[in-house]
Amino acid sequence: MLSMADTQQADEQPAAATGKADKRTTRLAQQIRAFARSHGGTAEGQLAHIGRGRTRIALVGANGEWGNLVADSFDSAKEAAAQAGITLQDDFDGELAAKVRTGPYEWSRMAGIQVGGPANP
């Protein structure tokens, strides 16, 4: 029989899993900072659930280039954005969408661009 001290919340993770999640969050933050540096020095983002607990981080650089990263959870995505120091918008419309610059690559693919993918000429 388990005592109260032996129970574990369903959303708690063992220490080893939490350490791996922290490393993934730190890696995401580094990727966000690298994106911002290479696209005008700053970036803004928007978080969206994409299924199976994953969250898309849509990034728009100061120069209008954009890209996506995927986090294992909404909390991880939010923490990575905070660590990277970017502003998060509630929606990917209005001002944020107006900043996006599309080029031949997006028009030919009509599916967006992943961070680290080919750049627009």
Side-chain angles (χ1 to χ4, degrees):
M1 176 179 259
L2 294 175
S3 69
M4 287 298 282
D6 295 330
T7 61
Q8 180 176 333
Q9 293 292 327
D11 60 350
E12 287 181 12
Q13 296 180 350
T18 302
K20 287 180 184 178
D22 290 343
K23 287 180 182 179
R24 285 191 292 262
T25 300
T26 300
R27 191 174 334 119
L28 275 171
Q30 291 169 344
Q31 290 173 313
I32 293 168
R33 283 191 295 272
F35 176 87
R37 274 192 310 272
S38 64
H39 295 290
T42 62
E44 293 181 60
Q46 190 267 335
L47 307 181
H49 295 284
I50 57 173
R52 296 189 182 221
R54 306 238 174 184
T55 299
R56 175 184 66 126
I57 307 169
L59 299 168
V60 179
N63 65 356
E65 292 289 322
W66 64 286
N68 295 303
L69 292 168
V70 176
D72 290 334
S73 70
F74 186 84
D75 290 339
S76 177
K78 192 172 181 178
E79 177 61 26
Q83 287 180 21
I86 66 166
T87 301
L88 289 176
Q89 303 297 333
D90 291 331
D91 297 305
F92 198 91
D93 60 7
E95 282 185 42
L96 186 59
K99 293 177 183 179
V100 173
R101 182 178 71 103
T102 57
Y105 177 78
E106 287 85 9
W107 285 104
S108 67
R109 296 278 312 232
M110 296 307 283
I113 185 171
Q114 295 296 318
V115 171
N120 285 323

